[in-house]
Amino acid sequence: MKGVLTLLPEHYPFELVPLPYPYDALEPYIDAETVMIHHDKHLKAYVDNLNKTLSAYPKYQLWTLKKLITSICQLPVEVQIPVKNNAGGVYNHNLYFSIMNKPNNTKPSENLLILIENAFGSLERFKTNFKNAALNQFGSGYAWLVIDTYGQLSIMSSSNQDTPLMQNVHPLILIDVWEHAYYLKYQNRRAEYIDNWWNVLDWDVVSRNYSDFKQQIW
Ligand code: MN
């Protein structure tokens, strides 16, 4: 995934990052049709709408996704909301698709596990708290595991396409709890989707994101 991302331009015109696995890779936990619509239609629409929004504003066309999201208030007021929604939509989905993989038994790296145990007591308690954040997010949004610049982990939830990047923390894990992420297979059973989702979370990718972040900070 990282290899793919680095080949794509980091600024306007943004491109649809290809899925790093086939549509059916997440079966039986997330069905192929959901993955196809989610990636090829929903994510594509965020990419297209972000490009459309920025097309009339050459001044911001060299800004990266992260810069756009963290500097919203420097943008002309009429594009602040479309950029927040669409740049957030692109960032959040790129991260979501990148941290999943075919059903696997990966575990957090030793360092990350220690951090999780220090913050939440145990990996199981982290999963319970994370699930509660995802379940209690009213309406569309995400639950997150984030790390701050002091290396402290916390769980957050967010609405719509908001991202914790706006709060100066670095996302390690997110789960999409918009209905489009699970409705075809799970209908209103969000809890079941969340429970099953752990089977396709790739802790190797998450652990690598954590060690990359640690290297930047320390
Ligand atoms: Mn989504």
Side-chain angles (χ1 to χ4, degrees):
M1 189 65 188
K2 213 177 164 205
V4 173
L5 279 173
T6 51
L7 291 173
L8 294 171
E10 287 190 350
H11 53 74
Y12 174 95
F14 292 96
E15 288 179 30
L16 181 66
V17 176
L19 264 187
Y21 35 73
Y23 296 127
D24 63 357
L26 310 179
E27 297 262 10
Y29 304 108
I30 303 181
D31 59 289
E33 192 184 6
T34 295
V35 173
M36 185 183 71
I37 296 171
H38 201 173
H39 179 270
D40 294 5
K41 309 284 183 196
H42 289 276
L43 172 53
K44 174 108 182 2
Y46 289 115
V47 173
D48 291 347
N49 288 329
L50 179 59
N51 287 334
K52 210 170 105 191
T53 302
L54 292 174
S55 63
Y57 297 87
K59 194 175 165 190
Y60 307 103
Q61 291 177 354
L62 288 179
W63 283 23
T64 64
L65 214 45
K66 201 172 165 183
K67 168 85 174 160
L68 287 166
I69 291 168
T70 55
S71 312
I72 292 279
C73 53
Q74 295 175 38
L75 295 171
V77 67
E78 69 276 13
V79 296
Q80 288 183 2
I81 289 174
V83 167
K84 182 169 86 126
N85 290 339
N86 292 300
V90 176
Y91 179 87
N92 296 346
H93 285 97
N94 284 348
L95 184 61
Y96 176 71
F97 288 118
S98 77
I99 60 170
M100 295 190 291
N101 212 333
K102 59 183 187 302
N104 61 80
N105 288 310
T106 55
K107 303 261 181 307
S109 67
E110 207 173 312
N111 288 340
L112 181 55
L113 183 61
I114 291 170
L115 213 59
I116 288 172
E117 288 171 345
N118 285 342
F120 307 106
S122 68
L123 184 58
E124 282 317 302
R125 277 199 49 200
F126 157 66
K127 287 186 175 182
T128 303
N129 295 351
F130 184 87
K131 178 183 176 180
N132 287 336
L135 268 182
N136 294 330
Q137 169 52 37
F138 183 76
S140 296
Y142 297 85
W144 306 81
L145 174 68
V146 302
I147 185 166
D148 66 21
T149 50
Y150 301 102
Q152 181 66 42
L153 295 178
S154 47
I155 291 170
M156 300 175 64
S157 60
S158 63
S159 293
N160 301 318
Q161 294 299 352
D162 289 0
T163 141
L165 280 180
M166 300 188 286
Q167 291 162 56
N168 201 28
V169 292
H170 182 77
L172 294 176
I173 297 179
L174 82 171
I175 184 170
D176 189 338
V177 293
W178 284 59
E179 283 187 342
H180 66 229
Y182 62 87
Y183 202 82
L184 289 181
K185 185 178 174 69
Y186 296 97
Q187 292 84 46
N188 62 332
R189 305 187 306 279
R190 188 189 281 190
E192 195 183 325
Y193 156 67
I194 299 164
D195 287 339
N196 279 341
W197 181 79
W198 296 109
N199 294 293
V200 294
L201 175 64
D202 189 337
W203 279 104
D204 290 343
V205 176
V206 174
S207 301
R208 206 158 50 236
N209 289 347
Y210 164 64
S211 58
D212 287 350
F213 173 76
K214 208 167 69 170
Q215 274 180 351
Q216 285 169 32
I217 295 301
W218 291 289

